[in-house]
Amino acid sequence: MHGEESSAAMSPKMMLSRFAILLLVSIGVGVAGGTTVLEAHQATAVGVFLAIIMGTLFFWSFRLAIAFLGLAVLICTNSLSVAQFVQSSALEVILFLVGMMIVVGALRDLGFFTWVVQLIVSMPNISGKKFIAVTAVASALLACAVDEVTSIIFISTLIFQVCDRLKLNPTPYILIAVLATNVGSAGTMMGNPVGIYIGTKGGLTFGDFMLWSFPLMLLALAVTIAFLLYCYRKDLRQFDINLQERLSRNLSLAPVVEVPYKRGLALLIFTIFAIASHHQLETLLGLGRNSVLLIAPLVCAGLVMILRPERARHYVEREVDWWTLLFFMLLFAIAGTLEHTHVDRVMADYFTQVCGGSPAILIPFILVTSAIGSAFVDNVIFVAAFCPVIEQLSVSVKAFPLWWALLFGACIGGNITMIGSTANIVALGMLEKKAPHQMGFFAWLKVGAVSALLACGVVWIGLTLTSPLMPDRPSKVGFDQLEKRFENKLVEIDAICAAINQVDGREEIRLTPPDGESEPVIVAIPEVPVAKMELAPGKRAIFRGLLTGDGTQGEAPTLRLQAATPVGKSK
């Protein structure tokens, strides 16, 4: 992300030149796409989305206005309907973020963050390495529990307090904390807006994040901290020298005060428990996937406002960042146009042509692409555009590793540049008021890029090793999608049982499209007797199993059939 740039800081000539570039590039790309591989609505969707990206780069303070205008263009050109806008605006994600912001506001009121800071300050046998290692881990874990911005605000306050007493330059300590915060934000779906958005789009539960994402985050965090401790070893030695000098004069590192933290801690534990148990509650109550997850923060926020009625209006009006949330809602809707106009299919086909259908190539490609993109463009924008592509790729490839690659790339990529994440901007803004020597773009890039490269390398290895162990969820595949490459991909296919044959002593079923066409044909090899599946020639059913075949080479697909549900019966 970028800082809140004042329009007054730009001259009229500069504003006009940037606006002209924005229009020329977005319109030019739209026209070029419309005359080559895209149809009119697809070209319009691409042009508007590109304008949103360039708008955040050139006119950060006007990003919401540009989103308003872009939405108007899409609706007026019939590229997006009002119903599609409501469907794509991810209101469930917006409400989740509203609830979490209210809870975070209450935690701030109840002294929870002050208590965490006091715990760090009062560590026994403190040293430079111990202080910064604990601070970095606390930054990451706080980002997991609340969000990256809240985490870096309180950790930065602690760092400034300590560095001020030890007469140290806080810049390296702030950099270490913010890099750890960005890595930690990938640990759960609460750490970053892209986490809950990816979780919603990919159908991922809180348990999925804790099982697959959180351990990888810890490994990436360990590598990041080890690298940063080595980079700033001289500063840490100076920390120890100044600390010993201060202690020799019987002066404490910072005053320690008693903080009534128990209510805040109880609120945080209750909120995390409510979110963590959402899958079990949904199963028990027969609710849709992630329905309890998305309302859990609202329940906690509602209880907070009931128990603290005198602060309820403050929480809603001051703690909730309505400006950003409205921008997110419009952004998600505009990104949804890429899906409605099938631009996502065009992009997915392109990625498949470049990388093939192998997860071994797709995982590092998505990881690196999202990291580089998020280093210069708001990671929410990048993820919003990339999610439909992942959905298309996951039709023929196991989805879990691709979603995790996108998540980690978007979060870790924020470490590459100073403008890579909101946490970076907030920390640098605080640093400007405290430190006489500011960090330059290339000074940050030298450290941030290497740390991001190391963290992405760890994630790449981790995903490669764990992807065979990850579950696969069935993709609904139509006969028009059989030109892809499938490698034992779990699918559900709506088809007609055209014939049941005996071939070499085994049963084979010929499946044809449900519209009555005889081509193409899928050969299904049942893993259970056909008689148990109530199938007969001419019957239509939803066939579920592992699909294998390379449609790009004209190879007929084979389905290892696990179950068949006749159309009209519940599964």
Side-chain angles (χ1 to χ4, degrees):
M1 287 187 176
H2 297 264
E4 290 293 346
E5 179 185 47
S6 174
S7 58
M10 280 192 292
S11 65
K13 182 178 180 180
M14 183 181 294
M15 290 186 65
L16 288 175
S17 62
R18 289 188 178 188
F19 189 69
I21 293 173
L22 184 152
L23 286 179
L24 286 174
V25 172
S26 58
I27 293 175
V29 170
V31 171
T35 55
T36 52
V37 296
L38 303 177
E39 55 94 16
H41 290 156
Q42 291 176 332
T44 303
V46 170
V48 170
F49 196 82
L50 185 59
I52 298 292
I53 294 175
M54 297 187 67
T56 61
L57 291 172
F58 289 167
F59 307 103
W60 177 250
S61 57
F62 295 142
R63 65 193 185 281
L64 187 55
I66 294 172
F68 281 147
L69 297 175
L71 179 65
V73 170
L74 292 175
I75 291 179
C76 290
T77 58
N78 204 30
S79 300
L80 180 70
S81 67
V82 174
Q84 290 170 337
F85 164 75
V86 174
Q87 179 184 353
S88 303
S89 57
L91 290 175
E92 67 279 11
V93 175
I94 303 300
L95 291 175
F96 180 94
L97 295 175
V98 168
M100 285 304 300
M101 288 178 180
I102 293 175
V103 170
V104 168
L107 290 174
R108 185 181 292 109
D109 270 0
L110 295 171
F112 171 77
F113 299 108
T114 304
W115 172 66
V116 173
V117 168
Q118 293 293 325
L119 284 179
I120 297 174
V121 171
S122 58
M123 284 188 301
N125 302 319
I126 192 170
S127 65
K129 286 186 177 180
K130 186 175 182 180
F131 170 75
I132 201 59
V134 171
T135 300
V137 172
S139 301
L141 296 182
L142 270 180
C144 286
V146 282
D147 66 83
E148 57 178 357
V149 174
T150 303
S151 171
I152 199 60
I153 287 174
F154 282 92
I155 295 299
S156 295
T157 302
L158 165 66
I159 290 173
F160 290 135
Q161 185 181 54
V162 171
C163 289
D164 181 59
R165 282 170 170 75
L166 296 181
K167 302 298 186 286
L168 295 171
N169 177 14
T171 301
Y173 304 95
I174 291 292
L175 178 61
I176 293 172
V178 77
L179 296 185
T181 297
N182 287 330
V183 174
S185 67
T188 68
M189 58 176 56
M190 300 179 293
N192 198 302
V194 300
I196 183 61
Y197 189 68
I198 288 175
T200 303
K201 286 292 184 180
L204 307 174
T205 66
F206 184 89
D208 292 331
F209 273 79
M210 294 305 296
L211 181 60
W212 305 109
S213 178
F214 190 77
L216 275 181
M217 181 276 290
L218 293 179
L219 291 176
L221 178 65
V223 171
T224 301
I225 293 175
F227 168 72
L228 294 173
L229 290 177
Y230 174 78
C231 285
Y232 293 106
R233 58 192 182 279
K234 293 182 180 179
D235 296 272
L236 296 178
R237 283 198 293 267
Q238 189 62 46
F239 183 102
D240 292 337
I241 294 172
N242 292 12
L243 175 62
Q244 290 305 317
E245 180 184 349
R246 183 174 178 83
L247 294 179
S248 66
R249 292 183 283 139
N250 294 321
L251 297 174
S252 64
L253 186 59
V256 177
V257 297
E258 289 293 328
V259 180
Y261 64 90
K262 293 183 179 179
R263 289 184 299 169
L265 181 61
L267 172 60
L268 180 62
I269 292 174
F270 178 76
T271 302
I272 294 177
F273 176 78
I275 293 174
S277 60
H278 75 94
H279 182 63
Q280 292 76 11
L281 290 174
E282 289 156 3
T283 302
L284 179 65
L285 300 175
L287 301 175
R289 179 182 293 274
N290 286 352
S291 54
V292 173
L293 164 69
L294 296 169
I295 66 169
L298 294 179
V299 172
C300 297
L303 293 175
V304 164
M305 290 189 289
I306 290 174
L307 295 175
R308 297 177 65 86
E310 74 285 356
R311 299 285 287 170
R313 182 176 292 273
H314 169 82
Y315 292 145
V316 174
E317 294 180 351
R318 300 296 181 183
E319 298 293 347
V320 178
D321 187 354
W322 293 107
W323 175 279
T324 298
L325 292 180
L326 185 56
F327 174 71
F328 283 171
M329 186 176 70
L330 295 176
L331 172 65
F332 295 152
I334 292 171
T337 311
L338 302 177
E339 183 177 2
H340 294 308
T341 58
H342 302 308
V343 174
D344 56 339
R345 294 188 181 183
V346 176
M347 295 173 66
D349 290 342
Y350 173 76
F351 289 141
T352 302
Q353 291 171 11
V354 173
C355 305
S358 172
I361 300 176
L362 284 172
I363 288 173
F365 181 79
I366 293 171
L367 186 64
V368 172
T369 302
S370 56
I372 294 175
S374 297
F376 299 96
V377 178
D378 186 339
N379 59 4
V380 178
I381 295 178
F382 191 89
V383 167
F386 224 84
C387 276
V389 179
I390 300 296
E391 289 176 328
Q392 286 299 318
L393 290 173
S394 63
V395 168
S396 57
V397 179
K398 185 184 287 188
F400 265 46
L402 306 187
W403 288 118
W404 299 135
L406 179 61
L407 172 69
F408 278 101
C411 293
I412 295 174
N415 283 346
I416 298 176
T417 66
M418 300 170 68
I419 59 175
S421 79
T422 309
N424 299 8
I425 301 302
V426 171
L428 288 173
M430 297 175 70
L431 192 60
E432 286 179 358
K433 301 176 182 178
K434 297 286 185 179
H437 305 291
Q438 302 303 318
M439 173 167 282
F441 182 87
F442 290 103
W444 180 298
L445 182 66
K446 181 173 65 175
V447 176
V450 176
S451 69
L453 180 63
L454 292 173
C456 284
V458 170
V459 171
W460 177 16
I461 294 172
L463 288 178
T464 301
L465 294 176
T466 58
S467 59
L469 305 176
M470 294 180 185
D472 191 12
R473 289 177 180 155
S475 298
K476 294 182 179 180
V477 176
F479 279 79
D480 60 337
Q481 297 175 299
L482 296 181
E483 72 279 0
K484 301 178 182 291
R485 180 184 178 187
F486 297 86
E487 294 183 1
N488 287 324
K489 170 61 184 172
L490 185 62
V491 300
E492 290 182 347
I493 301 176
D494 184 359
I496 292 177
C497 173
I500 302 176
N501 304 317
Q502 292 287 332
V503 179
D504 297 331
R506 68 179 185 185
E507 293 178 312
E508 285 188 357
I509 304 173
R510 291 174 59 86
L511 305 181
T512 56
D515 57 9
E517 297 288 335
S518 58
E519 296 291 339
V521 173
I522 297 175
V523 176
I525 302 174
E527 295 185 349
V528 295
V530 174
K532 292 186 176 181
M533 292 187 282
E534 303 180 18
L535 289 178
K539 277 196 173 183
R540 181 178 176 181
I542 303 297
F543 296 85
R544 178 184 174 126
L546 300 176
L547 188 64
T548 301
D550 191 350
T552 62
Q553 302 295 326
E555 179 182 325
T558 300
L559 180 70
R560 296 185 63 84
L561 184 60
Q562 299 173 348
T565 305
V567 172
K569 289 190 176 183
S570 60
K571 295 184 180 181

